[in-house]
Amino acid sequence: MKYFIKIFSFAKPYKLQIALSLLCSSIFVIMNTASLWMISSLLSTILNPSKTNTELSINSSKNSIITYFEKLTNNMLGNGDDIERLKMLCLMMLIIFLLKNIFYYLSNISINYVNHKMIMDIRNKIFSHIQSLPLSFFHNSKIGEISSITIGDAAKMRAAVNDTVNKLSKHPLNVLAMLIMLSLINLKMTLFSLMIIPCIGVVVVKIGQSIRRKTIRSSKQIAGVTNVLHENLSGINVVKSFIQESKEINKFTKETKKHFKLIYKKSRLKSITTPINDMIGVIIAISILWIGGREVFIYKTLDPNGFIKFIVYLFAMLQPAKKLADINLSIQSSIAAAQRVFSILNIKPQVDSKNAVEITDFNDGIKYSDVSFSYTENNIHVLNKINLSIPKGHVYAIVGKSGSGKSTLINLLLRFYEISNGEILIDEKSIKDLKISSLRNMIGIVSQQTFLFNNTIKNNIAYGNEKARDEDIIKAAKLANAHEFIIKSTDGYDTIIGERGSKLSGGQIQRISIARALLKNPPILIFDEATSALDTESENEVKNAIENLLQDRTVIIIAHRLSTITNADKIIVLDKGEISDLGSHEELIDRNNEYKNLFNSQFRDKNV
């Protein structure tokens, strides 16, 4: 029930549209009931020439309301011959059906507006919420599953509002109107026909519970299919180079087969609901026909006209009654989708502290004070009691074996993760007391795994500064040693670079990334192994571009190749999450055998 209420929280902004839909649904039900009365009047009056107008209105056994309706109908039809009365009846039916369908249309388009706006709002909220989540969420989640929830499950949630407002306003009112008319015609047969409701209800509840469970499992499984697809497309070069197409096809086929089994079981349950309900309805209808026929022919307690009207309303009631069963199944699927959507929306976002302040300039330096950090899933310290000061305007490099905590040290500065113990200070202010947006605005980062958007070179460079002028973009590109290859591209700065920069080389991608960082013009720059994946020529070009950025900035370089950081003011040696040494290149060569051996081995490998 709580998820049902949560779904409706998205419908609150559209109360007027929902109210309009409910009003139109109510008028539709009235018109529908009137149309059935006119049809039954056609069958019982116009096609029964043995009945006179006077006889139609005189029957003491009839309910007074039914008698009133018959008199009203006869007055509207007039006192002409059968053809004239038939003409009036056809005209009245045309008007009633026209009004009924107009209000049906208005009811549907009103609720459809709400439905589609809800899908948009839910997707926007999921996407906005995702942007506020810490980096740990993305490391622990699969892209395919997030995509499946945002696109697929968000769309399914609207069914709860659509079925509740649209169908649960029409069908129950239709059933209620039919029951009232049936009761007025013959109460005894109406009470017997009510047996259909509990019979259908038991079937609906049992099947609905099973469908809800299968919907949750099938939603998870389609996310698994999406993950395999996304992973395959992202690593298609590796797949083809290792000739693993068959393996990937088998993996994808296996996932789709699992999804097929779940969705087929769900479809079987949905499909069996209608025939079961139909058979229950037919059995009761046949029983009513038998009982009613006996009332007409044997006991004479019901006149033929009343019996015809009863049958018309009874069969008209069966259709919305059966549709009510389908609504429950749809709502159960919608609630299952809502559970997955709120599994993301309920994750606590990363927000500024209550008294967080803006930081607009950088004057002194960065300080790590007894900083420790561990990932929540294993509680093993990645960093342990780090104490470090990086003065403004200096170049510091971080080296160490893989897994020593180099990238984590930087991720904590950017607040991609929150510190477990200790604190990091910028100009003696704890980064926890700074607004996250202003903190990250002070820092530019060029990483090993640079991400470029499938857009123009110009827009990728200006990503962090969309108001930048063309001359500023060109200046940044020149400083990043990127201008020459850009102007030689097909459309220059307006060249579309493809998904993840697929139309560029590794060195070109890194230089565009450097230009992007330079255009942002931050006082603190971070290079996270920015040249480790490049060939020698590209590495030299990127190194030259980096040197253009070092002036008047505080720079932190995470280095895999030690030859790139020999000119750094200080080099931090990390080992198993702790600072094992700190000094210039010359100092470390003289006193640190581990650093010396690592440097010599790289230098030797480079000159082999």
Side-chain angles (χ1 to χ4, degrees), residues 273-332:
T273 305
T274 299
I276 288 176
N277 291 337
D278 197 49
M279 285 306 301
I280 294 172
V282 167
I283 290 170
I284 293 176
I286 291 172
S287 301
I288 291 293
L289 282 173
W290 174 253
I291 295 171
R294 291 170 63 85
E295 295 285 333
V296 173
F297 299 119
I298 298 176
Y299 304 114
K300 309 294 183 181
T301 56
L302 181 66
D303 67 85
N305 293 329
F307 183 56
I308 291 172
K309 287 182 170 66
F310 190 93
I311 295 301
V312 169
Y313 279 109
L314 176 64
F315 279 92
M317 185 188 74
L318 293 178
Q319 190 64 24
K322 288 187 290 184
K323 286 182 178 179
L324 283 174
D326 296 332
I327 292 172
N328 178 67
L329 306 182
S330 178
I331 290 176
Q332 291 297 333

Side-chain angles (χ1 to χ4, degrees), residues 125-319:
K125 184 165 184 177
I126 295 172
F127 188 82
S128 299
H129 184 73
I130 286 172
Q131 305 309 303
S132 68
L133 296 179
L135 205 61
S136 56
F137 166 77
F138 302 96
H139 288 168
N140 297 325
S141 303
K142 296 177 180 178
I143 293 175
E145 185 169 3
I146 298 172
S147 302
S148 175
I149 291 172
T150 305
I151 303 301
D153 290 308
K156 292 176 185 175
M157 281 177 63
R158 72 184 176 93
V161 174
N162 178 63
D163 291 343
T164 302
V165 175
N166 194 16
K167 296 179 181 178
L168 282 183
S169 62
K170 290 188 181 75
H171 300 326
L173 285 176
N174 259 323
V175 171
L176 180 61
M178 303 306 155
L179 281 174
I180 291 172
M181 295 303 296
L182 289 171
S183 300
L184 293 174
I185 295 168
N186 190 290
L187 182 60
K188 177 182 176 181
M189 290 196 300
T190 302
L191 292 175
F192 183 81
S193 65
L194 286 177
M195 291 170 54
I196 191 173
I197 295 175
C199 291
I200 293 177
V202 171
V203 175
V204 167
V205 170
K206 293 296 182 183
I207 295 178
Q209 290 171 346
S210 182
I211 283 181
R212 181 175 175 179
R213 291 191 298 268
K214 286 176 174 57
T215 298
I216 293 174
R217 291 201 293 268
S218 63
S219 295
K220 290 180 179 178
Q221 189 57 44
I222 195 63
V225 173
T226 308
N227 280 326
V228 173
L229 176 63
H230 184 273
E231 189 177 58
N232 176 268
L233 296 178
S234 299
I236 193 66
N237 289 344
V238 176
V239 173
K240 289 185 174 297
S241 63
F242 284 90
I243 322 170
Q244 292 298 303
E245 291 91 342
S246 297
K247 179 181 178 181
E248 292 297 313
I249 291 170
N250 290 336
K251 188 194 299 184
F252 187 79
T253 304
K254 183 178 180 182
E255 292 297 320
T256 54
K257 189 174 182 180
K258 288 180 183 177
H259 181 254
F260 161 75
K261 288 180 178 179
L262 286 170
I263 207 73
Y264 181 61
K265 287 180 181 178
K266 178 181 169 183
S267 297
R268 283 191 321 198
L269 284 171
K270 279 188 172 182
S271 298
I272 197 65
T273 305
T274 299
I276 288 176
N277 291 337
D278 197 49
M279 285 306 301
I280 294 172
V282 167
I283 290 170
I284 293 176
I286 291 172
S287 301
I288 291 293
L289 282 173
W290 174 253
I291 295 171
R294 291 170 63 85
E295 295 285 333
V296 173
F297 299 119
I298 298 176
Y299 304 114
K300 309 294 183 181
T301 56
L302 181 66
D303 67 85
N305 293 329
F307 183 56
I308 291 172
K309 287 182 170 66
F310 190 93
I311 295 301
V312 169
Y313 279 109
L314 176 64
F315 279 92
M317 185 188 74
L318 293 178
Q319 190 64 24

Side-chain angles (χ1 to χ4, degrees), residues 362 390-396 442 444 479 514 517-527 545-556 569:
F362 178 58
I390 303 174
K392 178 185 177 182
H394 286 67
V395 178
Y396 272 56
M442 299 284 292
L479 287 172
I514 291 170
L518 180 60
L519 188 64
K520 185 180 178 182
N521 196 28
I524 302 170
L525 271 172
I526 296 171
F527 295 93
I546 291 173
E547 288 175 4
N548 291 330
L549 303 179
L550 301 186
Q551 298 176 1
D552 301 321
R553 284 185 173 85
T554 303
V555 180
I556 303 173
D569 296 316

